[in-house]
Amino acid sequence: MLRAVRHLILRAPLFMPLLGVVGCLLGGQWWSLTVIALFVSHLARAWRVLLCTLLCVGIGWVQEHRQEHNRSYLRQQLQEKGYVHLEGTIERKLSRGCILDTGFNGVRVALRGDIPWKTGDRITVYAEPQPYNPAPIKGMFDTKTWLHSQGLAANLRVQRAEYLEPSSGWLRIKGLAESVRAGLVRTLMPPGTEDDPRRQVLCSLTLGDKSGAEQSVINVFKRGGCLHAFAVSGLHVGIVSGLFYLLAFRLRLSPRTQAVLVLILVGLYVMVTGLAVPAMRAYVMVALVLIGRELRRRVDMVNIWSLPALLILLIEPWQLGNAGFVLSFAVYAAIGIGVRVCMNVRPWLQPDSYLPRRLYTVWDDRLCKFDYILRGTVIVSFSAWLVSLPITAAFFHTVTPYSFLTNIAISPLLPLVMGTGLLASLLGGVPLIGAAVQWVALKCSSLLIAVVSFFASLPMSYMPIVPQAVAGQGMVCNLGYGESFAVLGNPGLVVGTGSAASARFSTEPSLFFSGYRPAALLQIYSGDKWDKAAAVLKESWPQMQLLSINEQVLHISTEAGAYEVFPPPPDLSRSLAENHCPIVRWHRADGTKVLYVGCASALTWEQLPTESKRADILIVGRNDDMPPELKQLLAESGAVRCILLPDVPSQAGNAPIEGVEIERLSDDARILKF
């Protein structure tokens, strides 16, 4: 037994140090992994592995605590002064801002504001803390979690920034690589074609540039369970390596020249596409395989898998909390196991089992090759899906039941899209040839989008891990800046969405991760801004009915109950948009009544029939022109519970009213359920 353990350890000597470092970085009860790695190495008398494990654990522990100490020092400065003066190099551009590497022992910060410079430029900034609220529901974007997963010390708002000089280090090379990528992107997406989803997919999938991708296109790949194909990852590096190796083979180069050429070209590709962690992991593994083969040394895939993970964690310990890092290495491990299973599984489609291989016909050989490809694709895709399922549930709180089917379906398309996309980016400016290659690339991209869209449109293709909200449950949510929305029942009526940005990043995730299925949407304001917000929810729930406010009382019903929408009087002043907000009455199936007054005017309330004013729960917002009196609303409705929406004057809800429970929607209580 000990001999077998020793043999396994010596075949992959880097696995035990990796296990020890993971346990050290996770801390707590996970230290048991470190103890196990040390104990097993000692038991097997693998002294070099034991010393290597001790050394790596020590380096990892020191590195993590040193970086955390420096981050804490910066946070303390912010807390004491309220601002900070920093100098550093732009590491990566964000949608509005950048990540700044201060050069102070690994301290990096997120800067929010107008940063016109590019990656690799040194700048000096005066910044103050950017306030943010924690995510009210698990699964929604959480700034604190994001900062931790990126190893950032703080989220800062820029007050003043100045350009210093180009950096002379590694980030300068990265900036030059991004400039090259920007030029290739302009070839794939010339001015005037930014709205073309096919070109957005080509730029994202081939070059790793998602800056021009619309959220609706990203959502299609997310709901289809193949968002990993929308950004450069280990899969893309593997495909590109295969394409370059095939090119070198067709050129009849020597094996050593082929290996050198593939290493150089794939290295340039990884650099141009942004040096993502999954891509770097795949490149290191490809390089080790090729170098090991040229040196005629035994290549152990567990050892090769362990080396890039160990190097990344020793340099950037915070990567262990990054979903991309965990998924990349876990899925590769699953793929390796799947390949081994595929090699041992009996062929599904084969000629007579008793027929010798030398007697196979040409069609028999082709059938065997097809069987191996089919078997490998299915087993590998299923293995990767099975491992990614709990990881995506833990990090993103979602489940994609059909994702392994989507990956099987798109597996023959990805090499086509990647190959034609690379050719189009390189040859796009060549007359005739460039146009022909781009046409083929766009056709391949269109076919890929169609396949992914089919799986994304299937029922329950993308689900939260929370149970569905009960039919009689309602919810109000504070969107910030005085905006809010309410959902009455499940499936029920959604009242308001906020702006298009609020609908995209707050309203839709709140509904989704709370387990609601909107049956209808009542947008309380009119205009192009609000139409765009409604379109965001329509993407997620295509069957949702859009309601418009007219002069007649609107009646609708769902499984959650019946709804009455009372419009404002037609002669009401239009000085404020709030005056034209309707009042919604919800008759729950259990007999209780909810009255959503929102920011409707006093005249709208007065026109309601007396019987329609009766309710058990009252939801009241702010109206600056003709606000109804809260005490009058409570007295006439007879409500025993009142929910005040954001920005309602504090004096309106401070005075206690006997027999009435008053709750206020605020930054601290962003979501209230009733």
Side-chain angles (χ1 to χ4, degrees):
M1 180 65 180
L2 289 178
R3 183 177 297 178
V5 172
R6 176 181 170 82
H7 176 70
L8 291 175
I9 291 176
L10 294 180
R11 279 182 62 90
L14 293 177
F15 180 73
M16 286 301 165
L18 174 62
L19 190 66
V21 170
V22 169
C24 164
L25 297 180
L26 290 176
Q29 61 184 359
W30 294 101
W31 271 102
S32 58
L33 295 178
T34 305
V35 175
I36 290 172
L38 295 172
F39 178 74
V40 171
S41 301
H42 171 74
L43 196 64
R45 297 182 181 277
W47 307 120
R48 293 181 182 178
V49 176
L50 178 63
L51 290 175
C52 183
T53 303
L54 285 171
L55 179 62
C56 291
V57 169
I59 294 174
W61 187 87
V62 170
Q63 183 81 333
E64 181 191 27
H65 283 75
R66 180 178 62 85
Q67 292 183 5
E68 183 56 36
H69 175 268
N70 295 331
R71 288 192 288 263
S72 299
Y73 177 75
L74 178 63
R75 297 189 195 105
Q76 184 179 358
Q77 278 191 317
L78 285 170
Q79 188 174 5
E80 292 175 355
K81 298 181 179 179
Y83 71 94
V84 67
H85 174 221
L86 296 172
E87 289 186 7
T89 306
I90 298 176
E91 178 184 312
R92 178 160 63 94
K93 295 284 289 184
L94 301 175
S95 56
R96 190 174 181 273
C98 70
I99 292 178
L100 184 72
D101 184 356
T102 65
F104 178 59
N105 292 327
V107 174
R108 300 154 59 247
V109 296
L111 297 179
R112 305 294 183 177
D114 185 17
I115 306 292
W117 304 288
K118 62 182 184 300
T119 299
D121 289 341
R122 286 190 57 80
I123 62 173
T124 177
V125 297
Y126 286 89
E128 61 182 11
Q130 170 79 35
Y132 58 86
N133 296 315
I137 298 175
K138 288 185 177 180
M140 291 180 62
F141 178 77
D142 190 341
T143 303
K144 184 177 181 180
T145 303
W146 178 78
L147 291 173
H148 176 73
S149 68
Q150 299 296 317
L152 302 176
N155 193 40
L156 305 176
R157 182 172 56 231
V158 176
Q159 295 298 313
R160 188 172 77 250
E162 296 178 4
Y163 173 79
L164 295 177
E165 60 182 357
S167 66
S168 57
W170 171 250
L171 291 178
R172 176 62 175 169
I173 299 176
K174 187 177 179 182
L176 294 174
E178 286 193 5
S179 300
V180 174
R181 179 173 65 175
L184 297 176
V185 167
R186 285 192 295 270
T187 303
L188 282 179
M189 188 185 292
T193 62
E194 293 84 0
D195 295 334
D196 190 344
R198 302 172 301 172
R199 296 183 183 273
Q200 295 172 18
V201 170
L202 279 176
C203 292
S204 301
L205 194 149
T206 307
L207 300 174
D209 189 312
K210 295 186 294 224
S211 59
E214 296 177 356
Q215 190 65 37
S216 57
V217 178
I218 297 175
N219 285 342
V220 170
F221 282 78
K222 181 171 67 176
R223 296 189 182 102
C226 56
L227 190 58
H228 62 278
F230 199 71
V232 173
S233 63
L235 171 67
H236 301 72
V237 174
I239 293 174
V240 169
S241 300
L243 293 175
F244 287 152
Y245 186 81
L246 180 62
L247 174 64
F249 179 78
R250 292 296 182 184
L251 293 176
R252 299 183 181 279
L253 302 176
S254 65
R256 179 163 298 179
T257 306
Q258 292 178 16
V260 173
L261 182 63
V262 168
L263 281 178
I264 294 174
L265 293 178
V266 176
L268 291 174
Y269 174 78
V270 171
M271 186 176 296
V272 168
T273 53
L275 293 170
V277 169
M280 289 192 294
R281 185 267 305 164
Y283 177 69
V284 171
M285 295 181 67
V286 169
L288 290 174
V289 169
L290 293 178
I291 293 173
R293 190 184 66 177
E294 290 303 316
L295 296 178
R296 301 182 184 276
R297 302 297 296 271
R298 178 178 55 83
V299 176
D300 186 88
M301 298 310 295
V302 176
N303 212 41
I304 291 177
W305 174 80
S306 302
L307 178 59
L310 189 60
L311 292 176
I312 291 172
L313 290 180
L314 291 179
I315 297 171
E316 299 176 338
W318 50 267
Q319 288 281 4
L320 196 57
N322 190 311
F325 175 87
V326 177
L327 276 170
S328 176
F329 284 92
V331 168
Y332 174 77
I335 290 174
I337 295 173
V339 170
R340 181 59 61 89
V341 171
C342 177
M343 295 174 64
N344 296 328
V345 168
R346 181 179 178 180
W348 298 343
L349 306 172
Q350 67 171 5
D352 190 343
S353 303
Y354 298 100
L355 187 66
R357 183 87 183 189
R358 65 178 181 276
L359 298 180
Y360 281 7
T361 64
V362 174
W363 289 104
D364 290 337
D365 282 329
R366 291 177 180 176
L367 182 62
C368 289
K369 291 179 182 178
F370 175 76
D371 172 82
Y372 186 76
I373 294 173
L374 176 65
R375 189 160 29 101
T377 302
V378 173
I379 294 177
V380 167
S381 296
F382 183 77
S383 303
W385 171 77
L386 203 60
V387 168
S388 66
L389 205 61
I391 298 175
T392 53
F395 279 97
F396 307 113
H397 301 274
T398 56
V399 176
T400 51
Y402 311 130
S403 61
F404 79 97
L405 294 177
T406 312
N407 289 312
I408 292 173
I410 67 174
S411 58
L413 296 176
L414 288 178
L416 291 176
V417 176
M418 292 285 296
T420 56
L422 286 173
L423 285 176
S425 63
L426 296 173
L427 304 177
V430 180
L432 297 179
I433 297 177
V437 173
Q438 285 210 7
W439 182 85
V440 175
L442 291 175
K443 288 297 182 182
C444 294
S445 178
S446 178
L447 182 58
L448 177 65
I449 295 173
V451 173
V452 176
S453 299
F454 168 76
F455 287 98
S457 63
L458 294 177
M460 298 185 295
S461 62
Y462 182 68
M463 302 185 299
I465 60 174
V466 298
Q468 291 291 313
V470 297
Q473 187 176 58
M475 180 180 74
V476 288
C477 179
N478 180 8
L479 300 174
Y481 305 101
E483 295 181 341
S484 63
F485 80 91
V487 53
L488 310 177
N490 186 39
L493 175 65
V494 178
V495 184
T497 60
S499 63
S502 297
R504 176 76 66 190
F505 300 109
S506 296
T507 307
E508 192 272 343
S510 297
L511 293 170
F512 178 77
F513 288 106
S514 297
Y516 284 95
R517 293 180 294 113
L521 169 64
L522 178 66
Q523 187 61 280
I524 55 180
Y525 302 125
S526 59
D528 182 63
K529 172 183 177 181
W530 311 106
D531 292 341
K532 292 179 179 178
V536 170
L537 298 191
K538 195 71 174 175
E539 291 175 10
S540 299
W541 296 281
Q543 304 302 322
M544 182 181 66
Q545 182 182 0
L546 300 180
L547 305 179
S548 57
I549 304 171
N550 50 43
E551 297 182 2
Q552 303 298 323
V553 178
L554 184 64
H555 298 269
I556 63 170
S557 61
T558 69
E559 300 172 15
Y563 304 86
E564 295 174 286
V565 181
F566 298 93
D571 57 346
L572 189 62
S573 169
R574 296 181 178 271
S575 59
L576 282 178
E578 288 87 347
N579 286 337
H580 287 265
C581 293
I583 294 177
V584 181
R585 192 169 190 247
W586 174 29
H587 301 254
R588 282 174 167 173
D590 61 1
T592 60
K593 300 176 180 62
V594 178
L595 203 59
Y596 181 91
V597 178
C599 49
S601 69
L603 293 180
T604 306
W605 171 262
E606 291 173 2
Q607 77 162 359
L608 260 64
T610 303
E611 180 58 30
S612 298
K613 294 181 179 180
R614 306 300 298 176
D616 301 287
I617 301 175
L618 196 65
I619 304 173
V620 183
R622 174 174 180 164
N623 185 300
D624 292 327
D625 191 26
M626 291 182 288
E629 289 290 336
L630 180 61
K631 290 186 177 180
Q632 178 186 357
L633 295 178
L634 292 172
E636 295 183 9
S637 65
V640 296
R641 184 181 180 188
C642 179
I643 299 175
L644 301 180
L645 299 178
D647 286 354
V648 174
S650 58
Q651 62 270 20
N654 286 343
I657 300 176
E658 186 177 354
V660 179
E661 178 188 358
I662 297 181
E663 300 175 89
R664 181 181 293 275
L665 203 61
S666 63
D667 291 339
D668 296 328
R670 293 179 60 191
I671 286 182
L672 292 176
K673 296 183 179 181
F674 54 89

